[in-house]
């Protein structure tokens, strides 16, 4: 059978119109290629050496392992291409093998990524915990100081991180310091822990890497009892002891890398990337919050305070602060009800002897920000919107 | 004998859309891995449907090569990523300097990546069984590009024709078809006329608007019976009009003139792309874009009405519970977002991407094409190190 096609020898850029005939069997036969104009054979390729290469739909492009790399026989006519395919069954087998191989590679690499994702989601808290152990405390303290500067900048509008009471020897500061030391009893915190009340109108409290924790005036204003104050304080000290700030930093970096790997967007700036990373980080930080609550509970057993105060305060904030609710959309904290249930497990008031704060101390803490820097309070109304 | 060969493009928009959509669908279960296969299929489609003097191009690259290239690119990005992380823990000033430096570094690297990616594609392009290839140094190209951009920025764009000519020259003087070297015979004069006409028209109009907005001009204009507001309005409209249409004018002239300065030995490429054809393509694209975005807004509206609103109406449920309980809603939202992104890319590729390729192909002829027949094979597929960088930096193009 004569098949009309085109032939490139792979050596010179000279296309020839050829007729091809398929001779013999698959094992020992040849594809004979004859120049139509000169009417003599230009090449013959063993049938076993033939393989198809991708081309336009409908056409058949053939290459041979025994010919130069770029050598091709092309049947552009649909009908001729179909006939050639029929005569050369090894082409279909070759294609099948190729497709199977592609599927295997796609499947394997997808599975590799899936396992990286799973290992990441379940392993990152462990991994971050391990990595954090390798970071010297001095380095983390330096990190922490720089982050404090960044934070103060970012929060400038609502009051920055200005101390309400800069005198470390004042009654409220001493009371907080005493509570902190009591909370740290029997734990290992590799750096000096300090909790500071700052004149910032946002109702919040957080712990940064390097042992610095902040309690905002906005939150203090909403704090009604010493139990609530002690609960939040112990919770933040818990974060410091667990080095959660640093773990979070490491985990976030890891998440960004992973999302970049999956989406091919290494800058991680796409919306899909940002949301994906936020979701993964959220679940991680919820675990950290549960741990900090548990720490708070343990402290409450030594220094008597009602651990559910923490939950009371949280509810009060989310009830009357619409913006806090919106922030809760991608909440890093577990649900308040769930936390309350965990905190109610033990009633420490029965076991502990020493109260967390005396009434006098609590009143002094409560008025820490209002006795000084009244100018700040004036600002507050504007900033709260 | 001076023979003129033509170029044609036979690919259909629907077929390309099919390739892209199939790829996006498979990207979901493969967690993005399929994107390398999608890109490869897309290139095969473009190459195989481009016919030069009766013979189609062939793309010989494989998806696995892209995958490996991406892994190599990761090796370059990992330290960079570590640097970003370190940076994020530094003081605000260090942050600004650090990010500026990193942006410059990435810009420099993208020059390197563009040149390497071009080599990757050229060395995997066969025509008449002979491979293209590229000499020259990617670092050299990156360096040139970086300096020229700096000069162009410093001269407020006046140096642009010099930059274009220099970079085109470097690219094409290092491009080979078999043992035949291409050359770029153009210079800054090639595109100077259209560029400077538009440049000075827009600068002139802007200066005119600034002059008449000076306080003392009000009375002078009033004395001649001209209202300043009306005149400013006309001038602003003229500026916007010229800026809008000059985009198509400049794109058509640059493409035509720069490509027409490319030759390989005695064979010379001549390309003519009309500004009007480009305009209609963008017009069509704009309308389709509107349709797709509206369709998505309607779908998103239904999702909101059907899922989120009833939950909001229920006062008992806190906002954060919606997201914590209804994670599948979040998933739905995510899928909707991905579908929107994919649709926009498909639209862009099938209308503007394919449209431009086809315009260039149909507007191209090769003069003295017979002289290409004696060319002998030379060069081989380039190695993969550094090739995936362009994909990672998203500067790859086709």
């Amino acid at each position: 059978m004569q098949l009309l096609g085109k032939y490139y020898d792979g050596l010179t850029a000279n296309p020839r119109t050829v007729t091809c005939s398929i001779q013999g069997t698959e094992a020992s036969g040849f594809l004979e290629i004859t120049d139509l104009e000169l009417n003599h054979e230009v090449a013959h390729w063993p049938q076993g050496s033939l393989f198809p290469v991708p081309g336009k739909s409908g056409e058949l492009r053939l290459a041979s392992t025994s010919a130069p790399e770029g050598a091709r026989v092309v049947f552009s006519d649909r009908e001729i291409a179909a006939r050639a395919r029929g005569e050369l069954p090894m082409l279909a087998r070759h294609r099948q093998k190729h497709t199977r191989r592609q599927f295997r590679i796609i499947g394997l690499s997808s599975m590799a990524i899936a396992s990286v994702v799973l290992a990441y989601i379940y392993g990152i808290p462990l991994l971050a915990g391990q990595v954090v152990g390798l970071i010297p405390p001095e380095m983390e303290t330096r990190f922490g100081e720089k982050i404090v500067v960044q934070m103060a900048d970012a929060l400038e509008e609502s009051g920055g991180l200005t101390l309400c009471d800069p005198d470390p020897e004042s009654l409220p500061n001493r009371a907080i310091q005493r509570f902190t030391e009591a909370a740290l009893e029997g734990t290992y915190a590799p750096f000096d822990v300090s909790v500071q009340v700052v004149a910032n109108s946002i109702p919040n409290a957080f712990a940064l890497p390097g042992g610095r924790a902040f309690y905002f005036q906005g939150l203090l204003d909403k704090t009604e009892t010493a139990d609530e104050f002690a609960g939040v304080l112990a919770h933040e000290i818990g974060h410091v002891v667990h080095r959660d700030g640093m773990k979070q930093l490491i985990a976030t970096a890891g998440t960004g890398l992973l999302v970049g790997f999956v989406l091919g967007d290494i800058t991680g700036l796409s919306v899909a990337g940002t949301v994906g990373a936020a979701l993964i980080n959220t679940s991680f930080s919820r675990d950290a919050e549960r741990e900090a609550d548990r720490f708070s509970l343990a402290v409450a057993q030594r220094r008597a305070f009602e651990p559910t105060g923490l939950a009371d305060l949280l509810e009060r904030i989310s009830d009357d602060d619409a913006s806090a609710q919106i922030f809760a959309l991608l909440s890093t904290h577990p649900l308040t009800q769930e936390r309350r249930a965990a905190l109610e497990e033990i009633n420490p008031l029965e076991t502990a002897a020493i109260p967390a704060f005396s009434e006098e101390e609590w009143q002094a803490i409560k008025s820490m920000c209002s006795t000084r820097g009244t100018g700040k309070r004036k600002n507050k109304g504007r900033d709260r919107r | 004998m001076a023979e003129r060969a033509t170029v044609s493009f036979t690919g259909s928009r629907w077929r390309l859309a099919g390739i892209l959509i199939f790829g996006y669908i498979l990207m979901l279960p493969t967690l993005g891995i399929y994107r390398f296969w999608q890109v490869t299929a897309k290139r095969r489609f473009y190459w195989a449907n481009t016919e030069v003097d009766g013979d189609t191009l062939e793309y010989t690259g494989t998806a696995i090569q892209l995958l490996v290239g991406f892994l190599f690119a990761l090796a370059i990005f990992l330290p960079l990523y570590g640097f970003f992380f370190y940076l994020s823990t530094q003081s605000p000033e260090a942050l600004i300097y650090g990010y500026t430096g990193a942006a410059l570094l990435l810009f420099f690297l993208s020059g390197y990546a563009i040149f390497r990616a071009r080599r990757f594609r050229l060395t995997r392009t066969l025509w008449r069984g002979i491979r293209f290839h590229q000499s020259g140094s990617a670092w050299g190209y990156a360096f040139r590009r970086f300096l020229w951009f700096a000069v162009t920025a410093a001269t407020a764009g006046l140096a642009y024709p010099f930059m274009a000519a220099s970079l085109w020259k470097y690219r094409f003087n290092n491009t080979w078809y078999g043992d035949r070297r291409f050359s770029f015979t153009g210079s800054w004069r090639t595109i100077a006329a259209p560029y400077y006409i538009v440049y000075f028209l827009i600068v002139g109009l802007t200066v005119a608007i600034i002059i008449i907005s000076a306080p003392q001009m009000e009375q002078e204009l009033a004395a001649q019976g001209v209202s300043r507001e009306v005149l400013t309005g006309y001038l602003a409209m003229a500026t916007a009009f010229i800026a809008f249409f000059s985009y198509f004018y400049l794109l058509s002239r640059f493409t035509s003139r720069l490509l027409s300065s490319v030759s390989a030995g005695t064979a010379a490429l001549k390309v003519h792309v009309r500004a009007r054809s480009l305009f209609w393509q963008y017009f069509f694209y704009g309308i389709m874009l509107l349709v797709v975005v509206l369709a998505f807004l309607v779908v998103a509206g239904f999702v909101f009405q059907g899922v989120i609103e009833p939950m909001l109406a229920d006062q008992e449920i806190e906002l954060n519970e919606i997201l914590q309980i209804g994670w599948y809603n979040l998933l739905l939202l995510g899928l909707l977002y991905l579908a929107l992104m994919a649709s926009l890319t498909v639209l862009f590729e099938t209308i503007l991407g394919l449209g431009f390729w086809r315009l260039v192909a149909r507007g191209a002829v090769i003069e003295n094409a017979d002289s290409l027949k004696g060319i002998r094979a030379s060069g081989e597929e380039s190695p993969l190190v550094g090739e995936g960088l362009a994909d990672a930096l998203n500067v790859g193009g086709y």
Side-chain angles (χ1 to χ4, degrees), chain A residues 22 39-40 65 97 117-118 154 173 199 207-208 218 285 307 309 359 378:
Chain A
I22 294 152
N39 201 18
H40 72 82
T65 49
K97 215 169 100 189
V117 171
L118 287 178
N173 276 337
L208 293 179
S285 68
E359 186 55 31
K378 265 187 208 155

Side-chain angles (χ1 to χ4, degrees), chain A residues 164-178:
Chain A
C164 276
D165 184 349
D167 175 14
E169 290 306 314
S170 68
L171 175 66
N173 276 337
R174 262 187 300 143
I176 293 171
Q177 187 58 33
R178 200 198 61 227

